[in-house]
Amino acid sequence: MDIQGAIVDLYSLLGQRLSQSKSDLDIHGRSETHFPLSPPDAVAYPHNTDEVAQITQICARHHCPIVAWGVGTSLEGQTQITTGGLSVDFSQMNKILSVQPKDMTVTVQPGVTREALNEELRATGLFFPVDPGANATLGGMASTRASGTTAVHYGTMRDNVQALEVVTATGEVIRTGTQARKSSSGYDLTALFVGAEGTLGLITELTLRLHGQPEAISSATCAFPSVDEAVQCVTDTIQMGLPMARIELMDVNSIRAVNAYSQMDLPEQPHLLIEFHGSETSASEQAETFGEIAKEHGGSAFQWATKEEDRRALWAMRHSAYHAILATRPGARALVTDVCVPISRLSETIAAAQSDLAELGFENAPILGHVGDGNFHATLMFDEDDTTTRERAIAASHRLVERALEFDGTATGEHGIGLGKMKYMAQEHGGAWLIMGQLKQTLDPQNILNPGKLVPPRN
Amino acid sequence: MDIQGAIVDLYSLLGQRLSQSKSDLDIHGRSETHFPLSPPDAVAYPHNTDEVAQITQICARHHCPIVAWGVGTSLEGQTQITTGGLSVDFSQMNKILSVQPKDMTVTVQPGVTREALNEELRATGLFFPVDPGANATLGGMASTRASGTTAVHYGTMRDNVQALEVVTATGEVIRTGTQARKSSSGYDLTALFVGAEGTLGLITELTLRLHGQPEAISSATCAFPSVDEAVQCVTDTIQMGLPMARIELMDVNSIRAVNAYSQMDLPEQPHLLIEFHGSETSASEQAETFGEIAKEHGGSAFQWATKEEDRRALWAMRHSAYHAILATRPGARALVTDVCVPISRLSETIAAAQSDLAELGFENAPILGHVGDGNFHATLMFDEDDTTTRERAIAASHRLVERALEFDGTATGEHGIGLGKMKYMAQEHGGAWLIMGQLKQTLDPQNILNPGKLVPPRN
């Protein structure tokens, strides 16, 4: 590993677009959650695919580790490079390259954020639905296989990335997928790179599937007597085949946090936030059916937000929930759990989580989640230097994961592996994890792409 | 390669469930379309995963090629083993292992056919939507990444396989995916095995996503003055965001064939066959909106089939179209083209195809397809021993593929690669095809799993 040799060559290629300023290194070495600072040796700001290819070739020549960086909203330390090396910041590759309205696709560079994309699409009548809350880049979202509030209806990044351009570990440029909506031609390399967290290649271009902006959107909040009743309502709604666009759970602690942060006055009870997309008739019909199911579970008469500004306020509140929760304890760090279980086990998983959390001193930890997918988050807070509580948070997260795996679920529904979930890979995947290691060895034999992440350590 | 040595060991394992009868070898060596007979040396009928693992270990020890066999409905010779070797027939691994109605999933062995599955599911209110027409096995459908008439709404096998059990080339058993609806944990190995045509492993168990049987289903036929107007109607309908469950094109030649075969009396014009799934209100609202779009394109007042028996008759007619077409020329062999293009290029692709086909003497070749996906088929017929016409059919298919690739489409929307489409892999995938070859080399270093298929030949 000759990182300094790489930096010399990278400087010749990029000039001022290679940065070693302390502030830049710190920005690219920090984590959104609880992982310690781990700065890279330099940050590159490429302008195009060809430069990314040349950067990778230089790094390959010098065995210099390389990690991609979008806007740094990942929650498991995915972009932190613990070996030293180069952070490739895609913020200057942020062009929307083409919109194909008839094909309902868009082709973008990886540094475009989801909000910028939807702003640009607004006039076309189309939108990109995947919505993890944070204004992440599309390259980052693809790399972590992100999802969020709308996955229950529109799917995750797995379902909405149609084609990719990727720079491989040797600095070659390949394309996966086509502009056709489906294909039976060969291995699904697009799906292989989505969720690979930059360990198999650097994504330099994405073709994404768009959806028609629905004619009518109805959003609502509905309070329930207990989390269990709210979850039962969700499973019944799914059973009915009601096509919900979003269905989100917020427990009492979450509601208290957003009430304070977003100046709302929601009743201090567990809530579901729901959204229906459709025609005027179908959206209101769905809402009515949902109302009947909710009532059976003690749900309150729900509060509708049909005006766009009210809906925006509602989902802005939901999206700011993480910051609202952090604001309840200024200066604290957080660990956000992310298990996902089969819907049939969701209710008991949340109940068990609540009891585990209480036992470990986190009885006030807010729980919220994308319950239509069986995915929920608890936010566990601790002071920066309180290692005891930090360790207890890690222990609490560990118990949640153990239960999820016992129920045939996954350690991470949408936040990915990064540094935080490596310890569960063997247990979750068994022999398949070794296969992942073999694929990595094949596509990145020098182990320069985000080393130490996702696959078994090499001997 | 010591096939005879493998057979001796396989016989010890399987006894009478290893067959070398000529009729068995012929059945497993034939193609549904135009590829010459290519019998394996033996056929194995395993009962469970453990036996599949042992079979594979024996084959690995003797370097004996091995290919999986479902019911043999694939159209590109995927199950034909040109090197000699073993065909593993999954017909005795045809159990539905468990239905999880709350999770809307089912776990099956690979030999279950889609019709048997849906028959079994009927009482649950759920169904498995992927419908390639043929009553294929689910293992086969996963391996070719099949789709068919409902993909426009419910997606392909890519979207509906949630987890797999796979026997690798060394005879190890691995599991990919979990019972949770989504996960960000590691490489998407499920997607890697789906569509791999048995070149990376043998699928021994599948967990599939189910969907609620819609409250209301409306099907209809609608005649158009030209194929172009029908296709324009499809693209307009998609633009409107109307959630069609199926939208199928049949040209005049197809209509003539099904009229004769299924005793229908559809007008001799290009048709769309449409289906809407939803509530009573939404299905009829969608139908009404579609009617307005169809009228703008000269569509006839459409013929509704809302009664279940009428709908069944309608789709039975569509599903028998291939046999109806073959019946117009008894004894003939057929080549079925399968390109898929971006919807924006569909109209010109079909027009160009019609002109190419006419030029090569196939002016009566029926065209039909899943136009909502940009995917269509022309059926080119020739007598078994008429090699001149067979070559012209191959030339015609070649022209269609060339155009599809030029339009950023794919050589195969749903039939897969098999023997027929290998020649387009380099052109369609470029450097990505070499990556596929590297993955194959890693997971099957001895090249015993369906050798000669899908990846670049080894030196």
Side-chain angles (χ1 to χ4, degrees), chain A residues 100-104 124 126 144-148 151-152 156 158-161 168 172-197 199-200 209 212 215 232 235-236 238-239 241 279-282 285-286 338 340-345 370 372-375 407-417 425 428-429 431-440 442-443 453-455, chain B residues 100-104 124 126 144-148 151-152 156 158-161 168 172-197 199-200 209 212 215 232 235-236 238-239 241 279-282 285-286 338 340-345 370 372-375 407-417 425 428-429 431-440 442-443 453-455:
Chain A
Q100 298 80 234
K102 273 203 165 182
D103 298 321
M104 300 178 76
T124 64
L126 301 170
T144 47
R145 204 182 295 125
S147 48
V152 66
T156 72
R158 178 190 200 272
D159 309 297
N160 288 287
V161 177
T168 68
E172 281 168 279
V173 181
I174 61 162
R175 288 186 168 274
T176 72
T178 72
Q179 298 297 311
R181 280 190 74 76
K182 68 179 190 187
S183 173
S184 278
S185 180
Y187 303 152
D188 190 346
L189 297 185
T190 304
L192 188 63
F193 288 107
V194 169
E197 301 190 351
T199 61
L200 297 178
R209 293 193 170 183
E215 181 191 324
Q232 300 284 354
T235 53
D236 284 6
I238 291 169
Q239 281 296 298
S279 66
E280 295 287 351
T281 323
S282 67
E285 186 184 48
Q286 288 157 20
D338 178 39
C340 185
V341 295
I343 305 283
S344 60
R345 313 305 292 266
H370 318 306
D373 302 324
N375 182 208
F407 291 164
D408 271 334
T410 175
T412 169
E414 56 183 14
H415 295 170
I417 302 301
M425 292 300 281
E428 178 162 341
H429 299 287
W433 196 36
L434 303 178
I435 302 272
M436 294 184 202
Q438 291 174 17
L439 300 181
K440 164 76 172 177
T442 303
L443 297 189
K453 305 284 171 62
L454 210 143
V455 296
Chain B
Q100 297 80 233
K102 272 204 166 181
D103 298 320
M104 300 178 77
T124 64
L126 300 170
T144 47
R145 204 181 297 125
S147 48
V152 65
T156 73
R158 178 189 200 275
D159 309 297
N160 287 286
V161 178
T168 68
E172 282 167 278
V173 181
I174 61 162
R175 288 186 168 275
T176 72
T178 72
Q179 298 297 312
R181 282 190 72 77
K182 68 179 190 186
S183 172
S184 277
S185 178
Y187 303 153
D188 190 347
L189 297 185
T190 304
L192 188 63
F193 287 107
V194 170
E197 301 190 351
T199 61
L200 297 179
R209 292 193 172 186
E215 180 190 325
Q232 302 284 352
T235 53
D236 284 6
I238 291 169
Q239 281 296 297
S279 67
E280 296 287 350
T281 323
S282 67
E285 184 184 50
Q286 288 157 19
D338 178 40
C340 186
V341 295
I343 306 282
S344 60
R345 312 307 290 266
H370 318 305
D373 303 323
N375 182 208
F407 291 163
D408 271 335
T410 175
T412 170
E414 55 182 15
H415 295 170
I417 301 302
M425 292 300 282
E428 178 162 341
H429 299 287
W433 196 37
L434 303 179
I435 302 273
M436 294 183 203
Q438 291 173 18
L439 300 182
K440 164 78 172 176
T442 303
L443 297 190
K453 306 285 170 60
L454 211 143
V455 296

Side-chain angles (χ1 to χ4, degrees), chain B residues 3-334:
Chain B
I3 294 175
Q4 292 315 316
I7 287 175
V8 170
D9 289 357
L10 289 165
Y11 188 75
S12 309
L13 175 68
L14 298 168
Q16 294 304 310
R17 289 188 285 116
L18 187 79
S19 167
Q20 289 193 284
S21 81
K22 183 168 185 319
S23 67
D24 246 3
L25 300 184
D26 281 359
I27 286 170
H28 294 83
R30 73 174 172 74
S31 139
E32 184 85 346
T33 52
H34 64 102
F35 302 98
L37 190 71
S38 179
D41 293 281
V43 182
Y45 294 88
H47 277 171
N48 53 51
T49 299
D50 186 52
E51 283 186 355
V52 178
Q54 289 186 59
I55 289 168
T56 311
Q57 286 159 15
I58 290 170
C59 287
R61 209 156 54 226
H62 295 281
H63 297 221
C64 172
I66 182 169
V67 66
W69 207 86
V71 287
T73 50
S74 63
L75 295 174
E76 294 291 355
Q78 277 93 338
T79 57
Q80 294 185 291
I81 196 153
T82 54
T83 53
L86 181 74
S87 179
V88 180
D89 183 315
F90 280 97
S91 58
Q92 294 180 31
M93 284 178 68
N94 64 344
K95 285 187 206 60
I96 296 172
L97 299 172
S98 60
V99 184
Q100 297 80 233
K102 272 204 166 181
D103 298 320
M104 300 178 77
T105 56
V106 64
T107 303
V108 300
Q109 289 187 314
V112 175
T113 65
R114 63 170 189 88
E115 285 180 8
L117 174 61
N118 278 325
E119 195 55 43
E120 185 70 22
L121 290 173
R122 193 175 287 196
T124 64
L126 300 170
F127 78 114
F128 183 69
V130 183
D131 176 5
N135 188 20
T137 61
L138 292 154
M141 286 166 64
S143 289
T144 47
R145 204 181 297 125
S147 48
T149 56
T150 60
V152 65
H153 188 64
Y154 294 98
T156 73
M157 288 304 279
R158 178 189 200 275
D159 309 297
N160 287 286
V161 178
Q162 182 166 301
L164 292 174
E165 181 188 77
V166 175
V167 170
T168 68
T170 53
E172 282 167 278
V173 181
I174 61 162
R175 288 186 168 275
T176 72
T178 72
Q179 298 297 312
R181 282 190 72 77
K182 68 179 190 186
S183 172
S184 277
S185 178
Y187 303 153
D188 190 347
L189 297 185
T190 304
L192 188 63
F193 287 107
V194 170
E197 301 190 351
T199 61
L200 297 179
L202 295 169
I203 295 173
T204 47
E205 193 181 298
L206 307 92
T207 295
L208 304 169
R209 292 193 172 186
L210 303 177
H211 298 260
Q213 287 166 14
E215 180 190 325
I217 303 179
S218 306
S219 304
T221 56
C222 184
F224 287 83
S226 68
V227 166
D228 185 54
E229 290 284 5
V231 172
Q232 302 284 352
C233 174
V234 174
T235 53
D236 284 6
T237 309
I238 291 169
Q239 281 296 297
M240 283 283 293
L242 262 199
M244 302 156 293
R246 318 196 204 214
I247 188 154
E248 295 284 303
L249 172 74
M250 300 183 76
D251 78 345
V252 177
N253 294 321
S254 309
I255 293 293
R256 283 193 194 117
V258 298
N259 273 346
Y261 187 82
S262 300
Q263 285 91 49
M264 311 281 283
D265 54 356
L266 295 164
E268 291 197 353
Q269 279 178 260
H271 275 69
L272 291 179
L273 279 55
I274 318 111
E275 188 162 280
F276 294 104
H277 292 181
S279 67
E280 296 287 350
T281 323
S282 67
S284 73
E285 184 184 50
Q286 288 157 19
E288 197 178 314
T289 310
F290 176 77
E292 288 161 20
I293 300 169
K295 203 188 282 175
E296 285 171 27
H297 293 284
S300 64
F302 39 79
Q303 297 297 317
W304 284 107
T306 43
K307 275 193 292 186
E308 190 176 345
E309 63 197 78
D310 295 345
R311 281 193 290 107
R312 277 183 185 267
L314 175 63
W315 294 108
M317 174 274 279
R318 170 63 187 86
H319 283 150
S320 66
Y322 180 52
H323 294 289
I325 290 163
L326 290 182
T328 62
R329 191 158 162 182
R333 308 289 283 169

Side-chain angles (χ1 to χ4, degrees), chain A residues 106-385:
Chain A
V106 65
T107 303
V108 300
Q109 290 186 313
V112 175
T113 65
R114 64 170 189 88
E115 286 181 8
L117 174 60
N118 278 325
E119 194 55 42
E120 185 70 23
L121 289 174
R122 192 174 289 197
T124 64
L126 301 170
F127 78 114
F128 183 69
V130 184
D131 176 5
N135 188 20
T137 62
L138 292 154
M141 286 167 63
S143 290
T144 47
R145 204 182 295 125
S147 48
T149 57
T150 60
V152 66
H153 187 65
Y154 293 99
T156 72
M157 289 304 278
R158 178 190 200 272
D159 309 297
N160 288 287
V161 177
Q162 183 165 302
L164 293 173
E165 181 187 77
V166 175
V167 171
T168 68
T170 53
E172 281 168 279
V173 181
I174 61 162
R175 288 186 168 274
T176 72
T178 72
Q179 298 297 311
R181 280 190 74 76
K182 68 179 190 187
S183 173
S184 278
S185 180
Y187 303 152
D188 190 346
L189 297 185
T190 304
L192 188 63
F193 288 107
V194 169
E197 301 190 351
T199 61
L200 297 178
L202 296 168
I203 295 172
T204 48
E205 193 181 298
L206 307 93
T207 295
L208 304 169
R209 293 193 170 183
L210 303 177
H211 297 259
Q213 287 166 16
E215 181 191 324
I217 303 179
S218 307
S219 303
T221 56
C222 184
F224 286 83
S226 69
V227 167
D228 185 53
E229 289 284 4
V231 172
Q232 300 284 354
C233 174
V234 174
T235 53
D236 284 6
T237 309
I238 291 169
Q239 281 296 298
M240 284 283 294
L242 263 199
M244 302 156 292
R246 318 195 205 215
I247 186 152
E248 296 284 304
L249 172 75
M250 299 183 77
D251 78 345
V252 177
N253 294 322
S254 309
I255 292 292
R256 282 191 193 119
V258 298
N259 273 348
Y261 188 83
S262 301
Q263 287 89 50
M264 311 281 284
D265 54 358
L266 294 165
E268 292 198 355
Q269 279 179 261
H271 275 70
L272 290 179
L273 278 55
I274 318 111
E275 188 162 279
F276 294 104
H277 291 181
S279 66
E280 295 287 351
T281 323
S282 67
S284 73
E285 186 184 48
Q286 288 157 20
E288 198 178 312
T289 310
F290 176 78
E292 287 160 21
I293 300 169
K295 203 188 285 176
E296 286 171 27
H297 293 283
S300 65
F302 39 79
Q303 298 297 317
W304 284 107
T306 44
K307 276 194 291 185
E308 190 176 344
E309 65 197 79
D310 295 344
R311 280 192 290 110
R312 277 183 185 268
L314 175 63
W315 294 108
M317 174 273 278
R318 168 64 186 86
H319 283 150
S320 67
Y322 180 53
H323 294 288
I325 290 165
L326 290 181
T328 62
R329 190 158 162 182
R333 307 290 283 169
L335 183 156
V336 187
T337 72
D338 178 39
V339 297
C340 185
V341 295
I343 305 283
S344 60
R345 313 305 292 266
L346 181 59
S347 206
E348 68 189 287
T349 307
I350 295 183
Q354 288 174 316
S355 120
D356 287 342
L357 292 175
E359 207 173 290
L360 285 157
F362 293 103
E363 56 283 333
N364 296 322
I367 288 179
L368 41 74
H370 318 306
V371 282
D373 302 324
N375 182 208
F376 70 93
H377 311 299
T379 305
L380 314 179
M381 283 182 288
F382 43 87
D383 294 327
E384 179 98 47
D385 46 9

Side-chain angles (χ1 to χ4, degrees), chain B residues 333 382-388 390:
Chain B
R333 308 289 283 169
F382 43 87
D383 295 327
E384 178 99 46
D385 46 9
D386 179 355
T387 49
T388 317
R390 182 175 181 276

